[in-house]
Structure formats: structure tokens, C-alpha cells
Amino acid sequence: MTQSIDMAKVAVLGFGTMGAGIAQVIADSGRQVVVLETDQERLAAGRARISAFLDEGIRRGKRTEDDKAALLERISGVTGVAELAEPIGPVDLVIESVSEDAEVKKPLLSEVAGVVGAEVPVVTNTSALSVTDLATAVPNPERVAGLHFFNPVPLMRTVEVVRAFHTDAALVDRLVSFVESLDKDAAVVKDRPGFLINALLIPYLNDVIQAYDDELASAEDIDVALRLGLGYKSGPLELLDMIGLDVHLHATQNAYEATRDPRYAPPPLLQRMVTAGALGNKSGRGFRVGTDEEDR
């Protein structure tokens, strides 16, 4: 892939689970990536996530050591907004993937937008916040849109391209082409609570949590029944553990506050588990990991 491709140099803000996955798939397309994090320790942790994923591909015979080295070589890291252009030069696209908190995202988006140039698209990977609201922090809000990747990013093919109130139509087209160049499928959606997929997924997961709390079946039996009965790749409680119970709670709270639709009201069990620190795989306790049925 040549550097003449559209959006050849990309800045990714945040190098956590999602940011690392996004950086990986962009670098895998042949593009140069610069990642912004708060410190060198977090940069090293994100790089280790990518390295571990690539090592698994090598073990399965789908990657080579040379592939891994070349991909990692295309990813640079910085710890200051002013440094974004230093490793790879001026960037063509900014993708924000920091914590799901508008009070964190908006100042960062405003600062970065002032550094990268007035014409550079600034997109957010938010799964629950209003893209239109986030765009109010950015001069020229027509250059703001959503690119909602799904976890794990290297394996999940769908990316929602979220058109906010001011988003320029030409930018939507460019982002669709960008997503397709990553060997993924773009779905253009409006800026509504939950966008498309989460708007349908959140009520389903909430219903499953309530069914589990009502003791309709064990966690394992719920997952087996819905995975095999509906033909899904994973059971809903297993999926919640992977997503993070705190992440799902935040998403369903935001959707409920925006709509007051009772389908989005957080189930009491979900709230209790998050309060208790049972966050799923990340904490070692959740619906399917490290928790006894009696813990309900």
C-alpha cells in the first residue's frame, strides 16, 4: 500500500484495549499511526497488547515475525498533543478512543483539533455519547463524525460511521472508503443514543441480565441456549464479561438518560455487580468468570 492512499497518516488518541486494536488494524493497512497516551507506561502496555495479538497469529500460522515487525514499526507513540506531528509528520485523520466521559473527551478533542489543522477530520470511537455534542468542542464541526469500532477490533468486521448534525456528507463518504480499506464493512448511521447496533443490543443484554437475576437459568445455560438457539458466536453473558460490565452500565445509563426509554434502564443486578467491582474479564469476576451463582 502506498502513501498516496487517502488518510495515510492517522493519529489515535488513547492506547487502551480499543485504541490498541484500532491502531493495529490501521497499521495493518500499510498506514503510519501515531498514538497519544498520558505516559510511556501506557504506551508500552498498548504496544504489548498488539504484540500479544500478533504472536497468537504467528502461532496459528497466519502471521510471520517479519509481518509483526513491519506492523509495529508503523506505530509510534507520544505523550503530548504538541508532539503528534513529530514521529510521522502532519496527520490526515484523528481517531479519539479515550474513556467514555464527555468531560474527558471534549477538552482533548478541542486541543487536538487546534494542533492538527482546520481541515483534518476528527472522529470519535464513542459507543454511547452524542457525537453532535462532542463536535461542539471542535472548530469547524462539519469535520467531526463517529467511527464506532467493536471489540476485539482486529476480528470484528463492522464499523459504524456516525453522521452527526453538522457532519459534511463528503467526509462520510471518505470515512466509508477508509473503513473498507481496513477490510471492514461500514454501516452509515445517524447520531442517536446507541447508534444502530447498541440501540438494539443494549435492551437485549439488559433482558438477559434480568432473566439471570430472576433465576430462569444458570449463566452457562443462558449462554448455551442463546448462542446455539440464535446462532450467535458467543453467549450474551460471556459477551458482557468481555465488554466490561462497567462499560455496559455506562452505555445503558447514557441511553436511558437521553431517551427515558425503560428498555435502557440499567438492571439492578448490573448496578450491584459494578459497585462490587465485578467488571467481567478485566477484574476476574463477572457473569461467567470468578463468580458463584449465589453471589447474586
Side-chain angles (χ1 to χ4, degrees), residues 33-165:
V33 182
V34 57
V35 180
L36 173 70
E37 255 299 352
T38 55
D39 53 52
Q40 291 295 332
E41 184 177 353
R42 290 177 182 268
L43 286 174
R47 202 168 186 85
R49 287 188 185 94
I50 297 175
S51 182
F53 187 93
L54 297 176
D55 285 342
E56 180 62 19
I58 293 170
R59 189 185 70 78
R60 295 186 178 191
K62 297 182 178 181
R63 295 271 187 178
T64 68
E65 290 287 352
D66 286 345
D67 292 337
K68 174 184 174 181
L71 189 153
L72 290 173
E73 182 67 23
R74 289 192 288 271
I75 301 175
S76 306
V78 298
T79 57
V81 171
E83 305 166 29
L84 279 173
E86 291 181 7
I88 62 175
V91 299
D92 308 310
L93 172 67
V94 174
I95 301 177
E96 173 273 315
S97 186
V98 299
S99 59
E100 284 286 81
D101 184 342
E103 298 308 310
V104 174
K105 291 180 183 290
K106 290 171 88 170
L108 178 61
L109 289 171
S110 177
E111 184 180 5
V112 170
V115 168
V116 298
E119 302 302 319
V120 175
V122 178
V123 304
T124 174
N125 181 53
T126 183
S127 61
L129 301 176
S130 165
V131 178
T132 300
D133 178 56
L134 296 178
T136 63
V138 178
N140 309 108
E142 65 274 7
R143 60 171 163 157
V144 179
L147 270 188
H148 181 211
F149 292 82
F150 292 84
N151 189 37
V153 177
L155 301 181
M156 300 295 284
R157 289 192 57 88
T158 302
V159 180
E160 290 179 313
V161 178
V162 185
R163 186 176 63 243
F165 187 83

